[in-house]
Amino acid sequence: MTTPDPTRLSINQETIKQWSLEELATGCTAAGISHVGLWRAPVQEYGVERAAKLMRASGLAVTSLCRGGFLTATDPEQRAAALDDNRRAIDEAAVLGTDTLVLVSGGLPDGERDLTAARERIADALAVLAPYAASCGIRLAIEPLHPMFASDRCVVSTLGQALDLAERFPADQVGVVVDTYHIWWDDQAPVQIARAGASGRLHSFQVADWITPLPAGVLLGRGRLGDGSIDMRAFRELVDAAGFVGAIEVEIFNEELWGRPGAEVLGEVVARFTEHVL
Amino acid sequence: MTTPDPTRLSINQETIKQWSLEELATGCTAAGISHVGLWRAPVQEYGVERAAKLMRASGLAVTSLCRGGFLTATDPEQRAAALDDNRRAIDEAAVLGTDTLVLVSGGLPDGERDLTAARERIADALAVLAPYAASCGIRLAIEPLHPMFASDRCVVSTLGQALDLAERFPADQVGVVVDTYHIWWDDQAPVQIARAGASGRLHSFQVADWITPLPAGVLLGRGRLGDGSIDMRAFRELVDAAGFVGAIEVEIFNEELWGRPGAEVLGEVVARFTEHVL
């Protein structure tokens, strides 16, 4: 058994969502963890300014805020509302002191079947949002989601597609998220990770394992590190070789984890992260 | 409402699996359908020779047999058993008078995480099987399965990967299946369909729609033509432009369809095929 090493670990708060923000801050500090990834809804509930103070007081750096996006609506009112909401997300990210807002770009609107047009609407929205984000010191990070989410959550399904979109904008404005769960199956992933690194667009690296059978709805089917099919260390090495030096977010949506004491889950995450990722 | 046109339609028997082979033969003939896609288990149960006679007597051509494959085992005994089973599948296909055996290539063996090595084992197996298949007048058709099946059913997740494998062999020995359900999300699909056509490797075209939420296990989540997110006509046009002139298989695994009278399902399939595919 290797000695647990939390120095490069960032805990995405959804992994231990049974914890309040204060419990997360206390728990992470006690475990020697100095990075967290946050989500908008629990942060808003607690108060954005208050959450920022709590993180600072606890010595926790925020590696990313999840999530902006959902930029594929065709309806003008929905589209305007989405842009407004993303501007608020950018403001919140700035208050929290992170430099990265993760984008889940959005699926196909009801009755639509044109993926290319939907991807183009994302680019149109980025043209509006990216300069605003940059003026707030925030980078937008497009997260390709597994193709099983293409219709209802994200029409950006591969790292290649995400980079095709990102490269229309300056690298310090729009980059990508590499999440092992979403891209592990793709034989183009290694070359695309290198491409992301070479252009300075590898803004976030997240890890979760792939397990089957998938549950109904498939959203909560992520596996604990080491339980599944993904060679996590190989991905970490690819990302390192591409020049990524940030903290690595563990982001697992799994109801079994949410049913256990948070401190126990955190300890297990640190041990498995050390064993399977580092 | 357009007039239902079954001339280019092939009914994959799993779409109406509540029907026996004899009911399928009678039902298809009554509906003016002259092509079917068959599965090994029900054909074996009925008797392969007997099934072949039934199809001939009913004037039904068999567009493909599902399925060979599962060629990714590392254990030598399992590997030998898989090769034997695939030789039997080739023999059965020849008896049925089809020229195409569909391959579901296999997932990762328990505890394995190396997708590249698993794909290489498929190539090794094809080197053994393809010449035998050719000597029986059978083409092996690699079916890329949706990436959500990469760990447990098929490490070949894109049409590009399938063609990379197929192109190591003569085009009349190894080709690919284009199934809208599996590749609709992929922005590389159009160029890969053209590539498959240009090299004479587009051996089978299957259609089913993509609907959400996915059920637990995700296997039986296919949608009826027109119910989902896929622009089926666009894919049919791409496949036509690539030179495919065969019958188009409708292959839908959906428990709701299996609970209804077969003739009703068949009528609906013909109508929807005419409306959404032709």
Side-chain angles (χ1 to χ4, degrees):
Chain A
M1 196 69 191
T2 34
T3 311
D5 176 8
T7 45
R8 214 185 160 188
L9 171 62
S10 176
I11 292 289
N12 187 288
Q13 76 174 122
E14 279 288 297
T15 305
I16 318 181
K17 78 174 209 175
Q18 62 272 45
W19 264 354
S20 69
L21 262 180
E22 292 183 2
E23 289 170 324
L24 180 74
T26 309
C28 283
T29 321
I33 292 164
S34 50
H35 303 90
V36 291
L38 298 181
W39 280 68
R40 291 183 71 197
V43 165
Q44 288 169 348
E45 199 180 314
Y46 186 79
V48 183
E49 294 277 1
R50 200 174 154 223
K53 269 182 208 159
L54 174 65
M55 295 301 127
R56 275 197 303 273
S58 313
L60 287 168
V62 181
T63 43
S64 75
L65 179 65
C66 278
R67 59 192 185 192
F70 292 93
L71 300 169
T72 50
T74 45
D75 175 77
E77 267 184 52
Q78 284 179 29
R79 203 159 165 70
L83 290 175
D84 282 346
D85 187 57
N86 275 273
R87 284 189 201 96
R88 278 192 298 275
I90 291 163
D91 295 341
E92 290 163 16
V95 170
L96 291 168
T98 183
D99 59 2
T100 301
L101 177 67
V102 173
L103 301 184
V104 172
S105 300
L108 287 170
D110 278 352
E112 292 280 326
R113 295 193 173 102
D114 189 338
L115 289 166
T116 308
R119 291 173 187 139
E120 212 49 45
R121 290 195 295 279
I122 297 166
D124 293 346
L126 290 175
V128 176
L129 294 171
Y132 178 70
S135 76
C136 303
I138 301 297
R139 310 178 298 186
L140 302 176
I142 302 170
E143 180 162 11
L145 258 55
H146 193 283
M148 69 187 177
F149 297 117
S151 69
D152 56 359
R153 276 194 178 73
C154 185
V155 295
V156 181
S157 303
T158 64
L159 196 51
Q161 289 172 1
L163 284 164
D164 288 346
L165 275 169
E167 286 175 356
R168 303 194 195 184
F169 306 93
D172 60 345
Q173 291 186 11
V174 184
V176 297
V177 179
V178 170
D179 184 321
T180 57
Y181 188 78
H182 294 305
I183 67 165
W184 75 280
W185 55 271
D186 184 2
D187 60 357
Q188 303 302 306
V191 69
Q192 298 298 334
I193 288 172
R195 174 183 167 199
S199 61
R201 295 178 192 273
L202 212 168
H203 291 176
S204 171
F205 178 40
Q206 301 181 327
V207 289
D209 214 338
W210 178 269
I211 54 171
T212 56
L214 291 161
V218 305
L219 189 61
L220 306 183
R222 298 194 186 195
R224 300 181 300 177
L225 307 177
D227 276 357
S229 303
I230 305 176
D231 187 341
M232 225 86 55
R233 180 164 292 111
F235 274 101
R236 197 262 305 151
E237 288 170 352
L238 286 168
V239 163
D240 280 353
F244 183 77
V245 293
I248 301 165
E249 276 189 31
V250 174
E251 186 188 50
I252 306 172
F253 310 153
N254 181 306
E255 291 186 322
E256 191 268 329
L257 290 189
W258 297 337
R260 289 164 54 195
E264 181 187 311
V265 173
L266 184 61
E268 185 183 275
V269 166
V270 177
R272 284 172 175 257
F273 177 80
T274 307
E275 186 181 350
H276 298 288
V277 180
L278 290 184
Chain B
M1 196 68 191
T2 35
T3 312
D5 176 9
T7 45
R8 215 187 159 186
L9 171 63
S10 176
I11 292 288
N12 185 289
Q13 77 175 121
E14 279 288 296
T15 305
I16 318 180
K17 77 172 210 178
Q18 61 272 48
W19 264 354
S20 69
L21 261 181
E22 293 184 1
E23 288 170 325
L24 180 74
T26 310
C28 283
T29 321
I33 291 164
S34 50
H35 302 89
V36 291
L38 298 181
W39 280 67
R40 290 183 72 196
V43 164
Q44 288 168 348
E45 199 180 317
Y46 187 80
V48 182
E49 294 278 1
R50 198 171 156 226
K53 268 182 209 160
L54 174 66
M55 295 301 127
R56 277 198 302 274
S58 313
L60 287 167
V62 181
T63 42
S64 75
L65 179 64
C66 278
R67 60 189 186 193
F70 292 92
L71 300 169
T72 49
T74 46
D75 174 78
E77 267 185 50
Q78 284 179 31
R79 204 160 165 68
L83 290 175
D84 282 347
D85 187 57
N86 275 274
R87 285 188 199 96
R88 281 193 296 276
I90 290 163
D91 295 341
E92 291 164 16
V95 170
L96 291 168
T98 182
D99 59 1
T100 301
L101 177 66
V102 173
L103 301 184
V104 173
S105 299
L108 286 171
D110 278 351
E112 293 279 327
R113 294 192 173 104
D114 189 338
L115 290 166
T116 308
R119 289 173 189 139
E120 212 49 42
R121 291 196 294 280
I122 298 166
D124 294 344
L126 290 175
V128 176
L129 294 171
Y132 178 70
S135 75
C136 302
I138 301 297
R139 311 180 297 187
L140 303 177
I142 302 170
E143 180 163 12
L145 257 56
H146 193 285
M148 70 188 176
F149 297 117
S151 70
D152 56 0
R153 279 196 176 74
C154 185
V155 294
V156 181
S157 303
T158 64
L159 195 52
Q161 290 173 359
L163 284 164
D164 287 346
L165 275 169
E167 286 175 357
R168 302 193 194 185
F169 306 93
D172 60 345
Q173 291 186 13
V174 184
V176 297
V177 179
V178 170
D179 184 321
T180 56
Y181 188 76
H182 294 304
I183 67 164
W184 75 280
W185 56 271
D186 185 3
D187 59 357
Q188 303 302 306
V191 69
Q192 298 298 335
I193 288 172
R195 175 184 166 196
S199 61
R201 295 179 193 272
L202 211 169
H203 292 176
S204 171
F205 178 40
Q206 301 181 327
V207 290
D209 214 339
W210 177 269
I211 55 171
T212 57
L214 291 162
V218 306
L219 190 61
L220 307 183
R222 298 193 187 198
R224 301 182 300 179
L225 308 177
D227 277 355
S229 304
I230 305 176
D231 187 340
M232 224 87 54
R233 180 165 292 111
F235 274 101
R236 197 263 303 151
E237 288 169 354
L238 285 169
V239 163
D240 280 354
F244 182 77
V245 293
I248 300 164
E249 277 189 31
V250 174
E251 185 188 50
I252 306 172
F253 310 152
N254 181 307
E255 291 188 320
E256 190 270 327
L257 290 189
W258 296 338
R260 289 163 52 194
E264 182 188 308
V265 173
L266 184 61
E268 185 183 275
V269 165
V270 177
R272 283 171 176 257
F273 178 80
T274 308
E275 187 181 348
H276 298 287
V277 180
L278 291 184

